[in-house]
Amino acid sequence: MANFDSAWFVYGVLMLLLATSFVVRIDYVRIGLAAAALVALPLVFFREPDVGYGMLVLAILVVNIGILTRLWLRGTNVRFSAEEEELRRQHFARLSPVAARGLIDQGHWISARRGEVLIRENQAAPSLFYLAEGLAAIQRDGAEVGKLSDGALIGEATVLDGSYATGTVVLGSNARLWFVPAAALRAYLAANPDLAGALHEGFARALRGKLASANTRIAGRPPISEGPKASDASNM
């Protein structure tokens, strides 16, 4: 083909490969590889056709499309219970169904009694907790400084880096919890680094929610009394 300009296809393939290099999620990587192979097909078959190169590019395309199809089929078959779906909606919304299923399966669902301590001040958080139902209090130096209720994540600020918690978290009622041990969570993320970004975003959103709640609670308190004015004090 005399008018075939291969340069555009070369540029297209290289641009797709460059874009794929910045992708973290493995399913997006496979989409990028399949797209690059698809763009490369005309280059292989119309410019000095080479059966070996052509078969190799075609194999890359077929393999990646096959794996993407399998992942899609797995995603359509994933099921969540009502409480799992709520956990996913609130904190793991950016994860695919398959990724969310895998992460949730690393943890356990339990029922806990009022008064149980989940995290202790000046100690590393033993687990990441999700408070599906119930109430919890945050204490510092024995004084209550905050409250948590249905839907809250607990321990997200320190569970990944192992730093010490700045407060103690105690259940204020019987509760329903999902939890994943800190070591298991870190190991799972190390084996699945593409999940880390979405999980960190969920953690950041949970922290922003706690901060907004704390600001609202502080704003609703009466102002600190400045005491009687000097003129009033003289009359007391």
Side-chain angles (χ1 to χ4, degrees):
M1 296 179 64
N3 295 326
F4 178 75
D5 187 353
S6 63
W8 291 108
F9 290 88
V10 174
Y11 290 144
V13 171
L14 292 177
M15 289 299 294
L16 284 168
L17 291 176
L18 176 62
T20 302
S21 301
F22 292 99
V23 174
V24 175
R25 284 182 52 172
I26 190 64
D27 49 347
Y28 290 169
V29 171
R30 296 202 176 278
I31 291 173
L33 291 175
L38 184 62
V39 172
L41 279 178
L43 180 65
V44 172
F45 286 114
F46 295 126
R47 184 195 179 209
E48 299 178 3
D50 185 300
V51 175
Y53 286 143
M55 294 302 295
L56 180 59
V57 171
L58 190 59
I60 293 173
L61 177 62
V62 171
V63 167
N64 282 283
I65 288 179
I67 292 175
L68 286 169
T69 301
R70 187 178 66 182
L71 291 174
W72 179 78
L73 290 174
R74 283 179 57 194
T76 60
N77 293 326
V78 172
R79 296 292 181 268
F80 298 92
S81 67
E83 58 187 2
E84 288 173 339
E85 184 60 45
E86 187 63 15
L87 167 58
R88 180 187 171 210
R89 184 189 68 81
Q90 291 200 53
H91 302 293
F92 305 147
R94 283 198 59 197
L95 297 180
S96 68
V98 173
R101 177 75 273 164
L103 178 58
I104 292 173
D105 286 347
Q106 303 307 304
H108 312 275
W109 290 94
I110 60 170
S111 296
R113 300 182 66 84
R114 176 181 180 180
E116 290 193 30
V117 177
L118 303 182
I119 295 175
R120 294 186 183 277
E121 187 175 1
N122 297 322
Q123 294 183 18
S127 301
L128 172 69
F129 297 90
Y130 165 69
L131 185 60
E133 297 178 9
L135 299 171
I138 304 173
Q139 301 174 352
R140 289 181 184 168
D141 298 324
E144 183 175 309
V145 296
K147 292 182 180 294
L148 300 171
S149 57
D150 297 1
L153 276 184
I154 303 171
E156 74 280 8
T158 60
V159 70
L160 293 182
D161 61 12
S163 58
Y164 288 174
T166 58
T168 296
V169 180
V170 183
L171 291 179
S173 68
N174 293 342
R176 177 70 172 165
L177 298 163
W178 173 83
F179 77 97
V180 55
L185 179 60
R186 290 194 288 266
Y188 188 72
L189 291 181
N192 300 272
D194 52 310
L195 304 184
L199 196 61
H200 279 295
E201 182 174 308
F203 287 0
R205 186 165 54 250
L207 286 170
R208 287 195 298 268
K210 289 178 181 178
L211 181 59
S213 177
N215 288 339
T216 300
R217 187 169 58 250
I218 291 171
R221 292 177 179 174
I224 298 174
S225 174
E226 297 180 356
K229 296 181 180 178
S231 58
D232 296 332
S234 63
N235 295 324
M236 293 180 61

